[in-house]
Amino acid sequence: MKRINNIFYSLQGEGRNTGRAAVFIRFAGCNLRCSFCDTEFESYREMSNEEILAEVEALRPQTSDLSPLLVLTGGEPTLQVDETFVDFLHQHGYEVAMESNGTRPAPKNLDWLTVSPKESGQWKVDGGKRVPDEIKVVFDEHTAENLSSLHTLHPSPLLYLQPCDTGDPERNKAITQACVEYIKQHPQWRLSLQTHKLIDIE
């Protein structure tokens, strides 16, 4: 049984897959407590793999033969997701992506892995782990000093900076401006905006 906070159908709002239709499976629980986290993930339902699949299938668009992307997120999905569960989703024709904080090994059979590290000590990619396809760092006034360790990763994932949403419009504006200037000086990075918030969707 897995602890599921929510399953919903929307558009991916961040990173390389921005704009893609996706079913999000939000897992309850996280091993970090980030001050800027905007997700309520402590409440949950206990669900079997078959129950999760049934809910995903019910959200699948009837007008298309294509199965949408599945995004495993949280909380921290590596606390519950293993290669067997990813295989189960693959067997039903789904492309499987995961969003992780990078503190724990991710299943190696994922189709796409986004790592969003929260502390500088977590930013080194361990050769024994599933190498992320993209790294997405939440950027604020203190981030720049810790980014140098990510500039020379091999193999090199896509590198995204995402301005932190602090809830303060003036501070958000200053953070975004600083983020843009950093990227102009370090063009290996790309800007990731939370487009789902900009267009007011889940």
Side-chain angles (χ1 to χ4, degrees), residues 99-120:
E99 298 175 350
S100 170
N101 61 32
T103 60
R104 296 169 48 85
K108 293 185 177 181
N109 55 343
L110 291 164
D111 298 300
W112 189 265
L113 175 61
T114 301
V115 167
S116 182
K118 303 303 187 293
E119 297 176 10
S120 59

Side-chain angles (χ1 to χ4, degrees), residues 13-187:
E14 304 169 356
R16 175 65 178 81
N17 288 312
T18 294
R20 286 191 65 182
V23 174
F24 292 80
I25 304 175
R26 189 180 299 284
F27 291 81
C30 187
N31 58 335
L32 300 180
R33 291 294 181 268
C34 301
S35 60
F36 53 80
C37 183
D38 58 4
T39 302
E40 191 288 303
F41 51 75
E42 293 302 333
S43 62
Y44 61 87
R45 296 172 288 159
E46 290 195 350
M47 302 178 69
S48 67
N49 290 356
E50 290 73 20
E51 289 170 332
I52 293 169
L53 179 65
E55 196 156 322
V56 167
E57 292 280 300
L59 293 171
R60 182 173 167 172
Q62 301 303 308
T63 56
S64 173
D65 293 332
L66 297 175
S67 296
L69 175 69
L70 290 184
V71 179
L72 313 180
T73 184
E76 174 49 43
T78 60
L79 294 171
Q80 300 186 62
V81 174
D82 57 16
E83 292 187 7
T84 300
F85 182 64
V86 176
D87 279 340
F88 173 76
L89 298 174
H90 281 157
Q91 289 164 9
H92 290 86
Y94 288 96
E95 180 182 353
V96 184
M98 177 182 283
E99 298 175 350
S100 170
N101 61 32
T103 60
R104 296 169 48 85
K108 293 185 177 181
N109 55 343
L110 291 164
D111 298 300
W112 189 265
L113 175 61
T114 301
V115 167
S116 182
K118 303 303 187 293
E119 297 176 10
S120 59
Q122 301 164 2
W123 295 0
K124 183 178 180 181
V125 175
D126 183 339
K129 295 181 180 178
R130 163 65 157 83
V131 175
D133 299 286
E134 64 181 4
I135 291 180
K136 181 186 66 182
V137 177
V138 177
F139 186 96
D140 65 13
E141 302 94 330
H142 311 293
T143 305
E145 61 196 52
N146 296 315
L147 290 175
S148 60
S149 63
L150 289 177
H151 289 177
T152 57
L153 291 177
H154 182 77
S156 179
L158 295 171
L159 299 176
Y160 287 96
L161 293 182
Q162 184 166 287
C164 183
D165 181 3
T166 67
D168 179 342
E170 288 302 313
R171 186 180 172 201
N172 284 359
K173 182 177 180 180
I175 288 172
T176 299
Q177 290 173 341
C179 185
V180 168
E181 289 304 313
Y182 187 91
I183 293 170
K184 287 165 66 176
Q185 295 299 317
H186 303 86

